[in-house]
Every structure is written in C-alpha cells, then in structure tokens.
Coordinates of all heavy atoms in Angstrom, one line a residue:
A1 N -3.9 6.1 2.8 CA -5.0 6.5 1.9 C -4.7 5.9 0.5 O -3.6 5.9 0.0 CB -5.1 8.0 1.9
F2 N -5.7 5.3 0.0 CA -5.6 4.7 -1.3 C -6.5 5.3 -2.3 O -7.7 5.6 -2.1 CB -6.1 3.2 -1.2 CG -5.3 2.4 -0.2 CD1 -5.8 2.3 1.1 CD2 -4.1 1.8 -0.5 CE1 -5.0 1.6 2.1 CE2 -3.4 1.0 0.4 CZ -3.9 0.9 1.7
Q3 N -5.9 5.7 -3.5 CA -6.6 6.3 -4.6 C -6.7 5.3 -5.7 O -5.7 4.8 -6.2 CB -6.0 7.5 -5.1 CG -6.7 8.2 -6.2 CD -6.0 9.5 -6.7 OE1 -5.0 9.9 -6.2 NE2 -6.6 10.1 -7.7
L4 N -8.0 4.9 -6.1 CA -8.2 3.9 -7.1 C -8.7 4.6 -8.4 O -9.2 5.7 -8.4 CB -9.2 2.8 -6.6 CG -8.5 2.0 -5.5 CD1 -9.4 2.0 -4.2 CD2 -8.1 0.7 -5.9
S5 N -8.5 3.8 -9.5 CA -8.8 4.4 -10.8 C -10.3 4.7 -11.1 O -10.7 5.6 -11.8 CB -8.3 3.5 -11.9 OG -8.9 2.2 -11.9
D6 N -11.2 3.8 -10.5 CA -12.6 4.0 -10.8 C -13.5 3.3 -9.7 O -12.9 2.7 -8.8 CB -13.0 3.5 -12.2 CG -12.6 2.1 -12.4 OD1 -12.8 1.3 -11.6 OD2 -12.1 1.8 -13.6
K7 N -14.8 3.4 -9.8 CA -15.7 2.9 -8.8 C -15.6 1.4 -8.8 O -15.6 0.8 -7.7 CB -17.1 3.3 -9.2 CG -18.1 2.9 -8.2 CD -19.5 3.4 -8.6 CE -20.5 2.9 -7.5 NZ -21.9 3.4 -7.8
K8 N -15.4 0.7 -9.9 CA -15.3 -0.8 -9.9 C -14.1 -1.2 -9.2 O -14.1 -2.2 -8.4 CB -15.3 -1.3 -11.4 CG -16.7 -1.3 -12.0 CD -16.6 -1.9 -13.4 CE -16.9 -3.4 -13.3 NZ -17.0 -4.0 -14.6
A9 N -13.0 -0.5 -9.4 CA -11.7 -0.8 -8.7 C -11.9 -0.7 -7.2 O -11.4 -1.5 -6.4 CB -10.6 0.0 -9.2
K10 N -12.6 0.4 -6.8 CA -12.8 0.7 -5.4 C -13.7 -0.5 -4.8 O -13.4 -0.9 -3.7 CB -13.5 2.0 -5.1 CG -13.7 2.4 -3.7 CD -14.4 3.7 -3.5 CE -14.5 4.2 -2.1 NZ -15.0 3.2 -1.1
E11 N -14.7 -0.9 -5.5 CA -15.5 -2.0 -5.0 C -14.7 -3.3 -4.8 O -14.9 -3.9 -3.8 CB -16.7 -2.2 -5.9 CG -17.7 -1.1 -5.9 CD -18.8 -1.1 -7.0 OE1 -18.7 -2.1 -7.8 OE2 -19.7 -0.3 -7.0
E12 N -13.9 -3.6 -5.8 CA -13.1 -4.8 -5.7 C -12.1 -4.7 -4.6 O -11.9 -5.6 -3.8 CB -12.4 -5.0 -7.0 CG -11.5 -6.3 -7.0 CD -10.8 -6.6 -8.2 OE1 -10.8 -5.8 -9.2 OE2 -10.1 -7.6 -8.3
F13 N -11.5 -3.5 -4.4 CA -10.5 -3.3 -3.4 C -11.1 -3.5 -2.0 O -10.6 -4.2 -1.2 CB -10.0 -1.8 -3.5 CG -8.9 -1.5 -2.5 CD1 -7.6 -1.7 -2.8 CD2 -9.2 -0.9 -1.3 CE1 -6.6 -1.4 -1.9 CE2 -8.3 -0.6 -0.3 CZ -6.9 -0.8 -0.7
E14 N -12.3 -3.0 -1.8 CA -13.0 -3.1 -0.5 C -13.3 -4.6 -0.3 O -13.3 -5.0 0.9 CB -14.3 -2.3 -0.5 CG -14.1 -0.8 -0.5 CD -13.4 -0.4 0.8 OE1 -13.6 -0.9 1.9 OE2 -12.6 0.6 0.7
K15 N -13.7 -5.4 -1.3 CA -14.0 -6.8 -1.1 C -12.7 -7.6 -0.7 O -12.8 -8.5 0.1 CB -14.5 -7.4 -2.4 CG -16.0 -7.0 -2.7 CD -16.5 -7.6 -4.0 CE -17.8 -7.1 -4.3 NZ -18.3 -7.6 -5.6
I16 N -11.6 -7.2 -1.2 CA -10.4 -8.0 -1.0 C -9.4 -7.4 0.1 O -8.3 -7.9 0.3 CB -9.6 -8.4 -2.3 CG1 -9.0 -7.1 -2.9 CG2 -10.5 -9.2 -3.2 CD1 -8.1 -7.4 -4.0
K17 N -9.8 -6.3 0.6 CA -9.0 -5.5 1.5 C -8.4 -6.3 2.6 O -7.2 -6.3 2.9 CB -9.7 -4.3 2.0 CG -8.9 -3.4 2.9 CD -9.6 -2.1 3.2 CE -11.0 -2.3 3.8 NZ -11.6 -1.0 4.2
N18 N -9.2 -7.0 3.4 CA -8.8 -7.8 4.5 C -8.1 -9.1 4.2 O -7.2 -9.5 4.9 CB -9.9 -8.0 5.5 CG -10.3 -6.7 6.2 OD1 -9.5 -5.9 6.5 ND2 -11.6 -6.6 6.4
I19 N -8.5 -9.7 3.1 CA -7.9 -11.0 2.8 C -6.7 -11.0 1.9 O -5.9 -11.9 1.9 CB -9.0 -12.0 2.2 CG1 -9.6 -11.4 0.9 CG2 -10.0 -12.3 3.2 CD1 -10.5 -12.4 0.2
K20 N -6.5 -9.9 1.1 CA -5.4 -9.8 0.2 C -4.5 -8.6 0.4 O -3.3 -8.7 0.5 CB -5.8 -9.9 -1.3 CG -6.2 -11.2 -1.7 CD -6.4 -11.2 -3.2 CE -6.8 -12.6 -3.7 NZ -6.9 -12.7 -5.2
I21 N -5.1 -7.4 0.5 CA -4.4 -6.2 0.6 C -3.6 -6.0 1.9 O -2.4 -5.7 1.9 CB -5.3 -4.9 0.4 CG1 -6.1 -5.1 -0.9 CG2 -4.5 -3.7 0.5 CD1 -5.3 -5.2 -2.1
K22 N -4.3 -6.3 3.0 CA -3.7 -6.2 4.3 C -2.5 -7.1 4.5 O -1.4 -6.6 4.9 CB -4.7 -6.4 5.4 CG -4.3 -6.1 6.8 CD -5.4 -6.2 7.8 CE -5.0 -5.8 9.2 NZ -6.1 -5.9 10.1
P23 N -2.6 -8.4 4.1 CA -1.4 -9.2 4.1 C -0.2 -8.7 3.3 O 0.9 -8.8 3.7 CB -1.9 -10.6 3.7 CG -3.3 -10.6 4.0 CD -3.8 -9.2 3.8
I24 N -0.5 -8.1 2.1 CA 0.5 -7.6 1.3 C 1.2 -6.5 2.0 O 2.5 -6.4 2.0 CB -0.1 -7.1 -0.1 CG1 -0.5 -8.2 -1.0 CG2 0.9 -6.2 -0.8 CD1 -1.3 -7.8 -2.2
I25 N 0.5 -5.6 2.6 CA 1.1 -4.5 3.4 C 1.9 -5.0 4.5 O 3.1 -4.5 4.7 CB 0.0 -3.5 3.9 CG1 -0.7 -2.8 2.7 CG2 0.6 -2.5 4.8 CD1 -2.0 -2.1 3.1
I26 N 1.4 -5.9 5.3 CA 2.2 -6.5 6.4 C 3.5 -7.2 6.0 O 4.5 -6.9 6.5 CB 1.3 -7.5 7.2 CG1 0.2 -6.7 7.9 CG2 2.1 -8.3 8.2 CD1 -0.9 -7.5 8.5
K27 N 3.4 -8.0 4.9 CA 4.6 -8.6 4.4 C 5.6 -7.6 3.9 O 6.8 -7.7 4.1 CB 4.3 -9.6 3.3 CG 3.6 -10.8 3.7 CD 3.1 -11.7 2.6 CE 2.2 -12.8 3.0 NZ 1.7 -13.6 1.9
T28 N 5.2 -6.6 3.2 CA 6.1 -5.6 2.6 C 6.7 -4.8 3.8 O 7.9 -4.5 3.7 CB 5.3 -4.6 1.7 OG1 4.7 -5.4 0.7 CG2 6.3 -3.7 1.0
L29 N 6.0 -4.5 4.8 CA 6.5 -3.8 6.0 C 7.6 -4.7 6.7 O 8.6 -4.2 7.1 CB 5.5 -3.4 7.0 CG 4.7 -2.1 6.7 CD1 3.5 -2.0 7.6 CD2 5.6 -0.9 6.9
A30 N 7.3 -5.9 6.8 CA 8.2 -6.9 7.5 C 9.5 -6.9 6.7 O 10.6 -7.1 7.3 CB 7.6 -8.2 7.6
D31 N 9.5 -6.8 5.4 CA 10.7 -6.9 4.5 C 11.4 -5.6 4.3 O 12.4 -5.5 3.6 CB 10.3 -7.5 3.1 CG 9.9 -8.9 3.2 OD1 10.2 -9.6 4.2 OD2 9.2 -9.4 2.3
T32 N 10.9 -4.5 5.0 CA 11.4 -3.2 4.8 C 12.2 -2.8 6.0 O 11.8 -2.9 7.1 CB 10.3 -2.2 4.5 OG1 9.5 -2.6 3.4 CG2 10.8 -0.8 4.3
K33 N 13.4 -2.3 5.7 CA 14.3 -1.8 6.8 C 13.7 -0.4 7.3 O 13.3 0.4 6.5 CB 15.7 -1.5 6.4 CG 16.4 -2.8 6.0 CD 17.8 -2.6 5.7 CE 18.4 -4.0 5.3 NZ 19.8 -4.0 5.2
P34 N 13.6 -0.2 8.6 CA 13.0 1.0 9.2 C 13.7 2.3 8.7 O 12.9 3.2 8.4 CB 13.3 0.8 10.7 CG 13.4 -0.6 10.9 CD 14.0 -1.2 9.7
E35 N 15.0 2.2 8.4 CA 15.6 3.5 7.9 C 15.0 3.9 6.6 O 15.1 5.1 6.3 CB 17.1 3.2 7.7 CG 17.9 2.7 8.9 CD 17.8 1.1 9.0 OE1 18.1 0.4 8.0 OE2 17.4 0.7 10.1
L36 N 14.5 3.0 5.8 CA 14.0 3.3 4.5 C 12.8 4.3 4.6 O 12.5 5.1 3.8 CB 13.5 2.1 3.7 CG 12.9 2.3 2.3 CD1 14.0 2.8 1.4 CD2 12.3 1.1 1.8
L37 N 12.1 4.2 5.7 CA 10.8 5.0 5.9 C 11.1 6.3 6.6 O 10.2 7.0 6.9 CB 9.8 4.1 6.6 CG 9.4 2.8 5.9 CD1 8.4 2.0 6.8 CD2 8.8 3.1 4.6
N38 N 12.3 6.6 6.9 CA 12.7 7.8 7.6 C 12.6 9.1 6.7 O 12.5 10.2 7.3 CB 14.1 7.7 8.2 CG 14.0 6.9 9.5 OD1 13.0 6.7 10.1 ND2 15.2 6.3 9.8
D39 N 12.7 8.9 5.4 CA 12.7 10.1 4.6 C 11.7 10.0 3.5 O 11.2 8.9 3.2 CB 14.1 10.5 4.0 CG 14.7 9.4 3.1 OD1 13.9 8.6 2.5 OD2 15.9 9.3 3.1
S40 N 11.4 11.1 2.8 CA 10.3 11.1 1.8 C 10.7 10.2 0.6 O 9.8 9.5 0.0 CB 10.0 12.5 1.3 OG 11.1 13.1 0.7
K41 N 11.9 10.1 0.2 CA 12.3 9.3 -0.9 C 12.1 7.8 -0.6 O 11.5 7.1 -1.5 CB 13.8 9.6 -1.3 CG 14.2 8.8 -2.5 CD 15.7 9.1 -2.8 CE 16.1 8.3 -4.1 NZ 17.5 8.6 -4.4
G42 N 12.4 7.4 0.6 CA 12.2 6.0 1.0 C 10.7 5.7 1.0 O 10.3 4.6 0.6
R43 N 10.0 6.6 1.6 CA 8.5 6.4 1.6 C 7.9 6.3 0.2 O 7.0 5.5 0.0 CB 7.8 7.5 2.4 CG 8.2 7.4 3.9 CD 7.5 8.5 4.7 NE 8.0 8.5 6.1 CZ 7.7 9.3 7.0 NH1 6.9 10.3 6.7 NH2 8.2 9.2 8.2
E44 N 8.4 7.1 -0.7 CA 7.9 7.1 -2.1 C 8.2 5.7 -2.7 O 7.4 5.1 -3.4 CB 8.5 8.2 -2.9 CG 7.9 9.6 -2.6 CD 8.6 10.7 -3.3 OE1 9.3 10.4 -4.3 OE2 8.4 11.8 -2.9
Q45 N 9.4 5.2 -2.4 CA 9.8 3.9 -3.0 C 8.9 2.8 -2.4 O 8.5 1.9 -3.1 CB 11.3 3.6 -2.6 CG 12.3 4.4 -3.4 CD 13.7 4.2 -2.9 OE1 13.9 3.6 -1.9 NE2 14.6 4.7 -3.7
F46 N 8.7 2.9 -1.1 CA 7.8 1.9 -0.4 C 6.4 1.9 -1.0 O 5.8 0.9 -1.3 CB 7.8 2.2 1.1 CG 6.9 1.3 1.9 CD1 7.4 0.0 2.2 CD2 5.7 1.7 2.3 CE1 6.6 -0.8 3.0 CE2 4.8 0.8 3.0 CZ 5.3 -0.4 3.4
N47 N 5.9 3.1 -1.2 CA 4.5 3.3 -1.7 C 4.5 2.7 -3.1 O 3.5 2.1 -3.5 CB 4.1 4.7 -1.7 CG 3.8 5.2 -0.3 OD1 3.6 4.5 0.6 ND2 3.7 6.6 -0.1
A48 N 5.5 3.0 -3.9 CA 5.5 2.5 -5.3 C 5.5 1.0 -5.3 O 4.8 0.3 -6.1 CB 6.7 3.0 -6.0
K49 N 6.3 0.4 -4.4 CA 6.3 -1.1 -4.3 C 5.0 -1.6 -4.0 O 4.5 -2.6 -4.5 CB 7.4 -1.5 -3.3 CG 7.6 -3.0 -3.2 CD 8.7 -3.3 -2.2 CE 9.0 -4.8 -2.1 NZ 10.1 -5.1 -1.2
L50 N 4.3 -1.0 -3.0 CA 3.0 -1.4 -2.6 C 2.0 -1.3 -3.7 O 1.1 -2.2 -3.9 CB 2.5 -0.6 -1.4 CG 2.9 -1.1 0.0 CD1 2.3 -0.1 1.0 CD2 2.5 -2.5 0.2
V51 N 2.0 -0.2 -4.5 CA 1.1 0.0 -5.6 C 1.3 -1.2 -6.6 O 0.3 -1.7 -7.0 CB 1.4 1.3 -6.3 CG1 0.6 1.4 -7.6 CG2 0.9 2.5 -5.4
N52 N 2.5 -1.5 -6.9 CA 2.8 -2.6 -7.9 C 2.2 -3.9 -7.3 O 1.6 -4.7 -8.1 CB 4.2 -2.7 -8.2 CG 4.7 -1.6 -9.0 OD1 4.0 -1.0 -9.8 ND2 6.0 -1.3 -8.9
L53 N 2.4 -4.2 -6.1 CA 2.0 -5.5 -5.5 C 0.5 -5.6 -5.4 O -0.1 -6.6 -5.7 CB 2.6 -5.7 -4.1 CG 4.1 -5.9 -4.1 CD1 4.6 -5.9 -2.6 CD2 4.5 -7.3 -4.7
V54 N -0.2 -4.5 -5.0 CA -1.6 -4.4 -4.9 C -2.3 -4.5 -6.3 O -3.2 -5.3 -6.5 CB -2.1 -3.2 -4.2 CG1 -3.6 -3.0 -4.2 CG2 -1.7 -3.2 -2.7
N55 N -1.7 -3.9 -7.3 CA -2.3 -3.9 -8.6 C -2.3 -5.3 -9.2 O -3.1 -5.7 -10.0 CB -1.6 -2.9 -9.5 CG -2.1 -1.5 -9.4 OD1 -3.3 -1.3 -9.1 ND2 -1.3 -0.6 -9.7
K56 N -1.4 -6.2 -8.8 CA -1.3 -7.6 -9.2 C -2.5 -8.3 -8.7 O -3.0 -9.3 -9.3 CB -0.1 -8.2 -8.8 CG 1.2 -7.7 -9.5 CD 2.4 -8.4 -9.0 CE 3.7 -7.8 -9.6 NZ 4.9 -8.4 -9.1
S57 N -3.1 -7.8 -7.6 CA -4.3 -8.5 -7.0 C -5.6 -8.0 -7.5 O -6.7 -8.6 -7.3 CB -4.3 -8.3 -5.5 OG -3.2 -9.0 -4.9
L58 N -5.6 -6.8 -8.2 CA -6.8 -6.3 -8.7 C -7.1 -6.7 -10.2 O -6.2 -6.7 -11.0 CB -6.8 -4.7 -8.7 CG -6.7 -4.1 -7.3 CD1 -6.5 -2.6 -7.5 CD2 -8.0 -4.3 -6.5
T59 N -8.3 -7.1 -10.5 CA -8.6 -7.5 -11.8 C -9.4 -6.5 -12.5 O -9.5 -6.4 -13.8 CB -9.5 -8.8 -11.8 OG1 -10.7 -8.6 -11.0 CG2 -8.7 -10.0 -11.2
S60 N -10.0 -5.5 -11.8 CA -10.8 -4.5 -12.4 C -10.3 -3.1 -11.9 O -10.2 -2.8 -10.7 CB -12.3 -4.6 -11.9 OG -13.0 -3.5 -12.4
G61 N -9.8 -2.4 -12.9 CA -9.2 -1.1 -12.5 C -7.8 -1.2 -11.9 O -7.2 -2.3 -11.9
R62 N -7.3 -0.2 -11.2 CA -6.0 -0.2 -10.6 C -5.9 0.8 -9.5 O -6.6 1.8 -9.5 CB -4.9 -0.1 -11.7 CG -4.9 1.3 -12.3 CD -3.9 1.3 -13.5 NE -3.7 2.7 -14.0 CZ -2.9 3.6 -13.5 NH1 -2.1 3.3 -12.5 NH2 -2.8 4.8 -14.0
L63 N -4.9 0.5 -8.7 CA -4.6 1.4 -7.6 C -3.6 2.5 -8.2 O -2.7 2.1 -8.9 CB -3.9 0.7 -6.5 CG -3.4 1.5 -5.3 CD1 -4.5 2.2 -4.6 CD2 -2.6 0.6 -4.3
I64 N -4.0 3.7 -8.1 CA -3.2 4.8 -8.7 C -2.1 5.3 -7.7 O -1.0 5.6 -8.1 CB -4.2 6.0 -9.1 CG1 -5.1 5.5 -10.2 CG2 -3.3 7.2 -9.6 CD1 -6.2 6.5 -10.5
Q65 N -2.5 5.5 -6.5 CA -1.6 6.2 -5.5 C -1.9 5.7 -4.1 O -3.0 5.5 -3.7 CB -1.8 7.7 -5.7 CG -0.8 8.5 -4.8 CD -1.0 10.0 -5.1 OE1 -1.7 10.4 -6.0 NE2 -0.2 10.8 -4.4
I66 N -0.8 5.7 -3.3 CA -0.9 5.5 -1.9 C -0.3 6.6 -1.2 O 0.8 7.1 -1.6 CB -0.2 4.2 -1.4 CG1 -0.9 2.9 -2.1 CG2 -0.2 4.0 0.1 CD1 -0.2 1.6 -1.8
E67 N -0.9 7.2 -0.1 CA -0.3 8.2 0.7 C -0.4 7.8 2.1 O -1.4 7.3 2.6 CB -1.1 9.5 0.6 CG -1.0 10.2 -0.8 CD 0.4 10.8 -1.0 OE1 1.2 11.1 0.0 OE2 0.8 10.9 -2.2
M68 N 0.8 7.9 2.8 CA 0.8 7.6 4.3 C 0.2 8.8 5.0 O 0.6 10.0 4.8 CB 2.2 7.4 4.7 CG 2.8 6.2 4.2 SD 4.5 6.0 5.0 CE 5.1 4.7 4.0
T69 N -0.9 8.5 5.8 CA -1.6 9.6 6.4 C -1.2 9.7 7.9 O -1.3 10.8 8.5 CB -3.1 9.5 6.3 OG1 -3.4 8.2 6.9 CG2 -3.5 9.6 4.9
D70 N -0.7 8.6 8.5 CA -0.2 8.6 9.8 C 1.1 7.8 9.9 O 1.2 6.8 9.3 CB -1.2 8.0 10.8 CG -2.5 8.8 10.9 OD1 -2.4 10.0 11.2 OD2 -3.5 8.2 10.7
V71 N 2.1 8.3 10.7 CA 3.3 7.6 10.9 C 3.7 7.6 12.3 O 3.6 8.7 13.0 CB 4.5 8.3 10.1 CG1 5.8 7.6 10.3 CG2 4.2 8.4 8.6
I72 N 4.0 6.4 12.9 CA 4.4 6.3 14.3 C 5.8 5.8 14.3 O 6.1 4.8 13.7 CB 3.5 5.3 15.0 CG1 2.0 5.9 15.0 CG2 4.0 5.1 16.5 CD1 1.0 4.9 15.6
V73 N 6.7 6.6 14.9 CA 8.1 6.2 15.0 C 8.4 5.8 16.4 O 8.1 6.6 17.4 CB 9.0 7.4 14.6 CG1 10.4 7.0 14.7 CG2 8.6 7.8 13.2
T74 N 9.0 4.6 16.6 CA 9.3 4.2 18.0 C 10.6 3.4 18.0 O 10.9 2.7 17.0 CB 8.1 3.3 18.5 OG1 8.4 2.9 19.9 CG2 7.9 2.1 17.7
E75 N 11.3 3.4 19.1 CA 12.5 2.7 19.2 C 12.1 1.3 19.7 O 11.3 1.1 20.6 CB 13.4 3.3 20.3 CG 13.9 4.7 19.8 CD 15.2 4.7 19.2 OE1 16.0 3.7 19.4 OE2 15.5 5.6 18.4
I76 N 12.8 0.3 19.2 CA 12.6 -1.1 19.7 C 13.7 -1.6 20.5 O 14.8 -1.3 20.3 CB 12.3 -2.0 18.5 CG1 11.1 -1.6 17.8 CG2 12.3 -3.5 19.0 CD1 10.8 -2.5 16.6

C-alpha cells in the first residue's frame, strides 16, 4: 500500500507505476536478502529504501509511506 503526499503525486504515481515503480520494486527485492524481510525492523528498512528510490522518480509531490499488506513466505 502506498501513501502519497497529495492528489497530484497520486496521479503521477499512477502514470509511472508500471514503467518505473514496478521495476524499482523488483530490483530492490532482487538485491535484498530474504532474512531481512523476516522481522519488522528489516521490513521497515526495506520500505524506507523503497520510499527513497520511488521519490527520486516523482517530480510532483512525494511518497510518504509504504506498508506491506500481504507477505508470502516460501522455501526455495
């Protein structure tokens, strides 16, 4: 779940979601060790990193907060 600063930021986020935001999330996940996401502190660090990366892509407003709403844990 993404919380944005205002309506203009939300509109811009929706426009670039598939071409910029989704790749940022995928790359960040690929560079993250699974153990980091096992506890709340690690998830907070991951979310903070994503907020910073996404905000670099927004020109109007900013991303305020990210919350993980679903988590799937699986052995590989």
Side-chain angles (χ1 to χ4, degrees):
F2 301 94
Q3 182 181 359
L4 293 128
S5 61
D6 55 42
K7 186 177 178 180
K8 286 181 89 174
K10 183 180 184 315
E11 289 170 357
E12 181 181 5
F13 183 89
E14 289 298 324
K15 287 180 185 176
I16 66 170
K17 182 170 55 177
N18 287 324
I19 58 172
K20 287 190 176 182
I21 307 301
K22 192 173 182 178
I24 289 170
I25 295 169
I26 292 169
K27 288 176 189 175
T28 306
L29 276 170
D31 292 339
T32 302
K33 294 184 181 192
E35 307 83 53
L36 181 71
L37 301 175
N38 284 338
D39 61 30
S40 61
K41 184 177 179 182
R43 290 179 188 178
E44 287 175 18
Q45 290 173 347
F46 179 79
N47 288 346
K49 184 175 183 178
L50 276 180
V51 167
N52 289 331
L53 292 170
V54 169
N55 276 332
K56 291 178 183 177
S57 295
L58 294 174
T59 58
S60 176
R62 63 186 188 90
L63 179 61
I64 297 172
Q65 185 175 355
I66 296 176
E67 288 293 334
M68 291 187 195
T69 56
D70 294 306
V71 178
I72 298 174
V73 179
T74 183
E75 297 265 337
I76 294 180

